[in-house]
Structure formats: C-alpha cells, structure tokens
Amino acid sequence: MIVPLLFSIAALFATQGQSSLREDLEQARAFVEAKDGDAAHARVLKIFEDHQDSVELIRHLPAVQDCLVDSLFLKEETARLEREAALERPVIPFSASVLSYKEKSGVFKLRWEGETQLNDFSHDQEEWPIPMDLEGRCRIALDLLQYPEQGQIKIIIEAENGFLYEVECGNDASGINHQVALVSQIDGDKREILQRVDKKLPQPGEPLLLALKSLGSSMQIYAGKSKILSFKAKRAGALQVTFSGVQEGSLGAIEYDGPLDPDQLVARMSTLRERQKQAFRAAVDFQAETPDWVHPFLYRQRTSLEDAKPPGRFPTEAAETAWQDTAEFLRKERRRNRALITISILQNDKPQGLTPAHLAYSSMIAAYEGGYWEYGRNFADDVLQAFPEHAITQEVLMECLARMDEGDLVWEIATNLYKADPRKVHHVLNAVKLLMRLDMVDDVRFFLMEDDSLPQELKTRCEELLAHREGPKKEGIRIMKSRLVEIHTDLDKKPAEELDLWIGREVSRAIGFLPEDTLSSKEKLRLFLFADRWDYEEFCAEILGAAIPSASGLYSPAFDAVVAWYNPRQQEREDSLRREMMIHVGKRIHPEYPLWASIGLSELVADGSILPGKDIEELSSRAKGLLEQLRADGAIPFSVMLCLNGAGYRALEQEQSLDAQAWAMCVWLMVMNDISEVDFLEVLVDNLKSSATWADTTEALVLVLDSTRFLDDSYSAVIRGLNRLSRK
C-alpha cells in the first residue's frame, strides 16, 4: 500500500528529543490493557494538551491515534455490554429483528429486512449463502418482491451426510412458467435426480415467499403456503444453504425460524466483534476527536484508491454522482477480479456524466489493482495531463514504472516534483523506498552519486535509509545467524535464543509446503527485533516516516526485513511474527508473490492438523475456527482470489477478513498437488521466478486448465470436504 508522508521538512530532519511522551503513552496503553476506556481516553487527551506542537508527538502520532481508537472503542463496548445485560435472551451475531425467542427450546424467529440488516449476509451478485447451519427442525425463507424474470431460483444444500442437494425452482425448457421442481443429489461427479414435480409458480415479476423447511430427515420447499416439493435427506443436519438466482433489488427480506447453535454463536460473535472494531476504527473522525493543531499531521490509512480523494473538482453535480457510481462499480468488480474486462467496460461504455480525467482515474485503479502496469502507467499519464499535482496518481505512476524496471524515470519524476517545491522532500524519499522495495538499491546509489541537483542534506537522508537496510543502528544491537534466518536484536540472550529456535522451526515447517529449492540459505530471511515497543516505533518513524502501530511488527519490503518488537503477549507475538515472516518468504520468491499465498501459508504453519504430503484426517480447533469464519464470510471463488495482487488484496481486505479465504486456498493447493497431474503451486512459483508479473502468471495457469471452471469447482469440493471433517 502506498502511504504518503505527512510530515513537514522540520519533522523529517528533526533531532530526536527526550520528553515524557513515552511514559504518557505507556500509561494510556496500560489503561487500554485494563479495559478502562474512560481513563485511557482522558490520558490521550492529556497527551495532546501536554505535548502541543511537539515534533516527537508528530513522529508518534499514528501510535497515539491507535490508542485513541482503542479508548473510544472500549467506551462503546462498555455501553454495549450494559445494553446486552438488559436483554432477556442470548446475544446473537446478527442485526436481524428478533420477532420471538423461546427460552425452553432455544428457538428464535428472526427477520432481516433493509440494507443494513441484509448486510449480515455475505452475498455476491445473485448468490445468498445463509450465515448459519440449519440443525433439527427449522425454516429459512426468501421474501421476494418479485419472482425473477428468468423464473429460476436454485437452492444448494450442503448436508452433513456428504451430499449436495440442488433444488431448481423455475421454468422448464419450454419457457412456460411450470415448476421444474427438480431436486438432485450430488456426490462428486455423480448426480441423481431424486424427485421432479410439475407445479405452477407465480409469474415472473410477482411477489413470492420461497421457503425451505428442514424436518431432520427430510426437506420441504414451499412457494407461499403451497408445498411444491418434499424429499428425504437422511443425516442431513448442520446444513449449509445458498440461494442463487436472486436478482439485484428483488429481495425484500430473509426469515429464519429455528434454534441457533451456542458454540456457533460464540465463534461468530468473536468474528463479529473483530469486524465491528475494524469498522469502528475506519469510522472514527479524528479531526473531531483531536485538537486543531494536530489536524495537518493526522495519519490516514488509505483503504482503497476509489475511497481516496479523486483528482480535481467535479464541474457539476452530475459529474460527482457519476464518479460515485463508478467507484461503486469498481468495488463490485473487485470481487470478480476481472481487471481487463473492467477496463474494457469503462472505456467502451463510458459512464454518462463522468469526466475524461475521472474515467482515466477509474481505469488506472483497475489496471493497478490487476497488476497491469503498462495500462496503469498510460492511464496515470492521462490523469496527470489534466491534474499534474494529484499525489495519488503520481504515486501510482511511479509504482507502475518501477514494476516495469524503469527506475530512471521514477527518479526523474520524483526529483522534478521536489525541484518544483523543495518543501516536498517526501517525493524523493518515497522514490528511494519504492526502488529499495523492488531490490533496486544499486540504482538508488547510482542516482545519488550522479545527481548534483539535490542538496547534501537530502542526499544524506537518502543514504541513511540505505544504511538502515543493513540493520538497525541502535546501540546494543547484535546479530544472530541460523541456517535460514538472521536476527538483529537488543533482546536479552535467553529470550532471543528461544525466539531464534521458534522462528527456525516455523520457517522450516513453511518450506515443507513449498516446492523444493524455493528458498536459498545463502540469502537469509531477516528480522529486526526490538526489546522495547518505543524503540520499534522510533525505528518505524525513521524508516517509514510514521510510527505505524502494529500488534508486534510488520514486513518492510524496502528494508527486506520483518521489523518487530517483543510483544509480551506470546500468542499475539507469535501470530504476528509468523504472518510477517511468511510474507517475507513470499517476497523472497518474487516481489509480486501474492499476499493470500503468504497469509494462507502462515495459517497452515500455525495449524498442526494439516501437514505437507499427509492426508487430512482431523482438523484442529484453529482450523475449525477458520472454516467457521469462511462460512460466515462466504467463500470467494478461487479464480477471483487467485488473481488478486497486493493492491487488490488489501483493498478487498477492507470489506472483509480474507485470512480464512487465504488458508482454504493454500489447503486446496496442497490437496491438489496430491490428486492432480498439475502441481499448481510449482507452476505459480516457477512462472514468477521467470520474472513474469502476477497477471502473466495467473493467465498462464488458466491457459493450462483451459478455463477457471475447474479451479472453482475443485476448490468448492475441497471446502465441502473440510466442512465434513470439522463436524466429526
């Protein structure tokens, strides 16, 4: 993700000073740890008051903002707990209206209606997966405002007995609206028609309440009050149900009558709380919560390019509306990951009212997130013709050029921008870090040596960044080397040695999942580990321009190392370090190695129930939790996730957690390596190592398969198999 520096030249070149900010921030964090939101919030406000206009506070502002969010969220949590304590029923992880609850039987009657409540369902276009297992006697229904014009709705039921049941409700081949009422039992490639009944349904366009009733050993389908189909389904408990064919705008509400599994509620409540926290964090108005003097320096984490400020002003209200519609189109298309098709639609069916510059900007976003660097460069050039000072487009242009191995053009653009306004040194510093990120360090050294137009002070700052690539310059840092890992740390000897052994084991386990000779022991993975969080944040402020908060650390591609601090919470520390080290492993394979593959590998390594080359016989509680999250989120097709590069992944990650998706994809890769003639992971790695882009690599894989159908079908089959294992 491209993060612009928000600091003035004074902040960039200021000498570190000593103050009580460190103690004040630690005190605020202690209140957060104690779950005392009021005290934490008061302390953060006092920090702003006591350290007004402090350069040190500006350097650490992202960390202070993070603490502010935690304090506000804790205050909101306290209020929520008070509200929930007043309820006379279990708390459920849904925003549905609770029409009734029977304490003795534990049966709920729920209704989701309206956009906010229906967002509980992770629907994709015309598919609506139901976010709970159906157990025992229960009913799930779609209240359709109009029966679809094509007169066809399917209900796909994944049963505990290992079968899929597919119910077709719609037109027969003649086009007359007679109920095909066809239910098929599917076992792998085998399809058996269980029953077919011809009954008339409402005409397309008319309202309909379509319901599925589960009676334990049988299923019934109702259209309104009329039963149109019934079939036996022994041991069909714990069902996953998906309705498909629901036209956009035609769904009025969803109803559910039945019990809710207490264990499932706990797991989903945990996922929901995390989502709520992320949504809360994104919604905080920092300007309203902080004093005016802080506002120019506030750290803003960009979610996605279409959410950032577009270039220029809109000439008319119609132009602004057209841009908003186009941004929503980009969000929807991202879930399909069809970058070239998206660009084609934008260019050929130009949205009415959209200005040429905003059309180029939207096409640039699609190209950039799809990894089509030359297209991205051309569209960025078009935007800058109209708005030459649009910062985000400048960054995208330089990123595309760097990916195309045009480092000299990156340097020329950055230095020209600096010369036009010498206050904006971040153009040059960001260019240095961009080129470092793509392993063009020698190019940077050459540019600095040859360029006589830059002041020595700025050159020195660039050289300091290069020097930090070799390791932190803090006193007391020592280097520990093992076969695959090099650790730079000021941690005490015993915990440092224990951590060294742990990381060595995790990396060795990771290598077991990868093709042979993926990593070379000659180029060790690197970890810069600080004993103290403050020193970690100081280093981040030095190399990244901001003390970006994190549970335990981050992978810095510019410095080719994981930068971390020794979080005393062991689980958080290990989860964070494992994740960042696996990203490091991926980037050693290739700068465009996809994030989903690294994050999925991290989850595989953490999960002892799945081993390379071994049959999956039982799932751990961690794996079951990931499956639960995947069911709650709704699985994104493999072919879509496969094509996501780093920018596209991070943008989609703002809409939902993708960790479970990434894990399931890596399980698929491992399983398919055993049962297919094609070693897909080896194809992906080998193609990337030949210096192909990720877009070229995925296109080559799809070419091997002739289509994406095999990918998506086999991925769905693997997920169904994992679901069956999780219920053992």
Side-chain angles (χ1 to χ4, degrees), residues 647-687:
Y649 184 94
R650 292 196 185 281
L652 187 55
E653 195 175 33
Q654 301 304 316
E655 300 178 24
Q656 69 178 79
S657 170
L658 297 178
D659 288 8
Q661 303 272 353
W663 168 80
M665 290 181 69
C666 284
V667 173
W668 180 91
L669 284 169
M670 189 192 76
V671 171
M672 294 311 296
N673 283 351
D674 293 336
I675 65 177
S676 170
E677 294 180 0
V678 180
D679 188 330
F680 298 101
L681 185 58
E682 189 169 324
V683 170
L684 294 175
V685 171
D686 286 349
N687 270 279

Side-chain angles (χ1 to χ4, degrees), residues 348-417:
N348 295 325
D349 303 327
K350 297 178 176 60
Q352 188 173 2
L354 195 66
T355 68
H358 291 103
L359 175 62
Y361 184 63
S362 58
S363 300
M364 180 198 78
I365 292 172
Y368 175 69
E369 291 186 354
Y372 294 96
W373 310 119
E374 188 166 358
Y375 285 125
R377 169 192 183 173
N378 293 335
F379 288 126
D381 280 336
D382 291 342
V383 176
L384 293 172
Q385 287 293 321
F387 300 102
E389 295 186 2
H390 189 241
I392 293 169
T393 303
Q394 292 168 347
E395 294 164 8
V396 170
L397 174 60
M398 287 192 281
E399 171 96 9
C400 291
L401 288 170
R403 296 285 186 182
M404 296 167 64
D405 202 25
E406 300 278 5
D408 53 338
L409 290 179
V410 172
W411 188 257
E412 181 181 341
I413 292 171
T415 53
N416 285 340
L417 288 170

Side-chain angles (χ1 to χ4, degrees), residues 479-515:
I479 301 175
M480 303 171 61
K481 293 184 179 181
S482 58
R483 187 173 68 89
L484 293 169
V485 182
E486 176 181 297
I487 301 177
H488 299 240
T489 186
D490 60 349
L491 198 61
D492 290 341
K493 184 177 180 181
K494 184 176 180 181
E497 290 176 344
E498 290 173 351
L499 190 71
D500 183 34
L501 289 173
W502 176 82
I503 289 178
R505 288 195 300 268
E506 298 297 290
V507 172
S508 295
R509 289 181 64 187
I511 290 174
F513 288 102
L514 298 171

Side-chain angles (χ1 to χ4, degrees), residues 161 178 224 233 263 265 288 333-334 346 349 369 705:
N161 58 20
H178 273 74
D263 292 336
L265 289 182
E333 288 300 296
R334 181 180 292 121
L346 288 168
D349 303 327
E369 291 186 354
L705 301 170

